[in-house]
Amino acid sequence: VTNNEVIYSFASALEISANINVIPAPAKIYIILKPDGQVSRQIKLTAQSDGRVVLTHDLSQDPLRPFSRVYYWYQFEMPDGSMSTSPSFWFDYVDNRYQWKLLTSKLFAVYWTGEDAAFGQKVMDIASSGLEKSTTILPVAPKLPIRIYVYPDINALQDTLSLSHQKWVSGHASPELGVVLISDGADQSNFIDMERQIPHELMHILQYQLTGDAYDNAPAWLLEGLAVTAQSYPNPDDDRILTTAVKTDSLIPLEAMCRSLPIDANGAAVGYAQSSKIVEYLKDRFGSQVFVKMLQSSIAGVSCEQNLVNNTDLSSEQLLKAWLGAAYPDMPSQSGNNNALLFYILGGVGVVIL
């Protein structure tokens, strides 16, 4: 395989070409694409008369994972039916629609698109503080450096993630890739949103470092509650949101947030606020080590409910009631939030983990 070349337009089109010199000539030639975090694709190619093969792949119809490393190799079916493969090649699938500026340290590689050279250092400082706080909550050493991409605005970020139906999303982590994507506000002098976004997503990196491929088996309310707790500033609306939910008996049962949190903005607001407060309650009652134990239990494949019982001796309903009693002692006793449970389970609300 010679003259190997990769050209792509992010989220649009990918072209891989090479000269193939195999004797005798193969009966069939395939290219295998294997992006990190995605299943492989096997695509049949047709050799030109000079041995040149060209893959033209529509990334809008079959997208690759943003910022993943994509491995590829050629597979040959010989006339006698035997199979052989070429050496493996790779490229990094970064968003080449932007001219990224770069600032690096031992901990982070920060990418941004603006003209302000000092901006990258400010993001680096926020990330360093965020990682320090996150590791006091979850004492895990992540793989370094962590890549942080700052998109110019929330629309650009959501376009990259194909999450346009979630207008409230302003940050995202691909923890298995060690990548954090966030959006820049309209006013670069106001970094408060970043001081929430960056530590939040860094916590997801730490969680994956501890759980690996079992990440999705961990309770979603635990993953997101820890991430919110790591933020430099709490959401100022959380107390109001939770007080309203308690008064209207519309808190979300924890078992309804085992796999993921609500996708709609109102449900997500309650879910994130509630999860973070319950995580704080667990930390005060059992210490930070309970989080390590629960995440490690996820590796063993135990259920969400059994995970909680094994590590706290509390069922999800008992935990919710215990937190309510501590946080809202003057409120009328809740009845287990059965109305909310029926709404979220029978109503079939879609859910997602970020």
Side-chain angles (χ1 to χ4, degrees):
V1 178
T2 58
N3 299 323
N4 203 50
E5 186 176 19
V6 177
I7 302 173
Y8 69 86
S9 297
F10 189 84
S12 178
L14 165 68
E15 182 178 288
I16 301 177
S17 59
N19 285 99
I20 304 295
N21 182 19
V22 179
I23 299 175
K28 296 179 182 178
I29 302 175
Y30 301 92
I31 188 170
I32 313 298
L33 296 180
K34 179 61 178 75
D36 280 339
Q38 284 185 304
V39 298
S40 61
R41 289 103 157 136
Q42 182 188 59
I43 304 168
K44 187 177 180 180
L45 302 176
T46 300
Q48 301 172 3
S49 58
D50 60 356
R52 191 75 172 165
V53 293
V54 179
L55 166 71
T56 302
H57 190 65
D58 188 344
L59 294 173
S60 65
Q61 296 299 315
D62 183 19
L64 301 176
R65 190 165 193 183
F67 301 97
S68 64
R69 177 158 289 183
V70 181
Y71 295 90
Y72 66 97
W73 58 93
Y74 298 92
Q75 188 177 73
F76 310 108
E77 181 178 332
M78 307 307 292
D80 62 1
S82 63
M83 303 293 293
S84 63
T85 60
S86 75
S88 179
F89 307 91
W90 59 267
F91 64 94
D92 288 327
Y93 181 55
V94 302
D95 191 343
N96 58 9
R97 297 172 299 179
Y98 298 93
Q99 293 293 322
W100 297 101
K101 291 184 172 60
L102 171 63
L103 180 66
T104 61
S105 72
K106 292 181 179 179
L107 298 177
F108 303 102
V110 175
Y111 299 80
W112 75 102
T113 62
E115 297 298 325
D116 184 1
F119 180 80
Q121 185 59 55
K122 181 61 178 177
V123 174
M124 184 79 74
D125 293 343
I126 293 171
S128 298
S129 298
L131 185 60
E132 182 178 357
K133 181 179 180 181
S134 296
T135 52
T136 63
I137 302 170
L138 193 65
V140 178
K143 291 183 180 180
L144 300 173
I146 298 170
R147 291 179 288 162
I148 300 175
Y149 289 83
V150 185
Y151 275 84
D153 54 56
I154 193 169
N155 291 330
L157 173 65
Q158 291 179 344
D159 176 60
T160 300
L161 298 175
S162 300
L163 291 175
S164 58
H165 58 289
Q166 294 174 261
K167 301 301 183 184
W168 46 272
V169 171
S170 57
H172 177 82
S174 294
E176 67 274 33
L177 303 180
V179 172
V180 169
L181 309 180
I182 62 171
S183 57
D184 183 18
D187 182 1
Q188 288 191 358
S189 66
N190 185 352
F191 287 91
I192 291 177
D193 283 345
M194 286 192 186
E195 290 173 331
R196 292 194 186 99
Q197 295 171 23
I198 294 176
H200 182 113
E201 306 306 340
L202 290 176
M203 176 56 80
H204 288 313
I205 301 287
L206 298 183
Q207 293 163 352
Y208 186 85
Q209 186 66 34
L210 189 60
T211 59
D213 292 340
Y215 178 84
D216 289 338
N217 193 48
W221 62 262
L222 175 64
L223 297 176
E224 295 302 341
L226 283 168
V228 174
T229 303
Q231 295 174 181
S232 300
Y233 298 103
N235 186 332
D237 293 328
D238 279 357
D239 288 338
R240 176 188 58 79
I241 290 168
L242 286 176
T243 299
T244 300
V246 171
K247 287 181 177 179
T248 59
D249 197 15
S250 57
L251 290 172
I252 306 171
L254 290 183
E255 59 265 38
M257 296 192 292
C258 276
R259 298 304 305 162
S260 45
L261 269 59
I263 194 174
D264 64 290
N266 291 334
V270 175
Y272 278 82
Q274 183 179 326
S275 297
S276 67
K277 296 301 182 183
I278 289 176
V279 162
E280 290 176 5
Y281 174 81
L282 286 173
K283 183 175 183 292
D284 292 340
R285 182 165 172 176
F286 299 100
S288 292
Q289 281 303 311
V290 73
F291 306 135
V292 175
K293 292 177 181 178
M294 291 185 69
L295 290 173
Q296 288 175 334
S297 294
S298 301
I299 301 174
V302 299
S303 68
C304 177
E305 183 72 12
Q306 194 61 48
N307 190 335
L308 182 61
V309 172
N310 289 352
N311 291 290
T312 67
D313 290 325
L314 295 171
S315 69
S316 57
E317 184 176 355
Q318 289 170 336
L319 174 57
L320 186 58
K321 287 183 176 179
W323 164 69
L324 277 170
Y328 300 92
D330 299 327
M331 290 286 184
S333 176
Q334 298 280 302
S335 60
N337 301 288
N338 293 325
N339 292 338
L341 178 61
L342 288 173
F343 175 76
Y344 278 92
I345 294 179
L346 300 181
V349 175
V351 285
V352 68
I353 293 178
L354 293 182

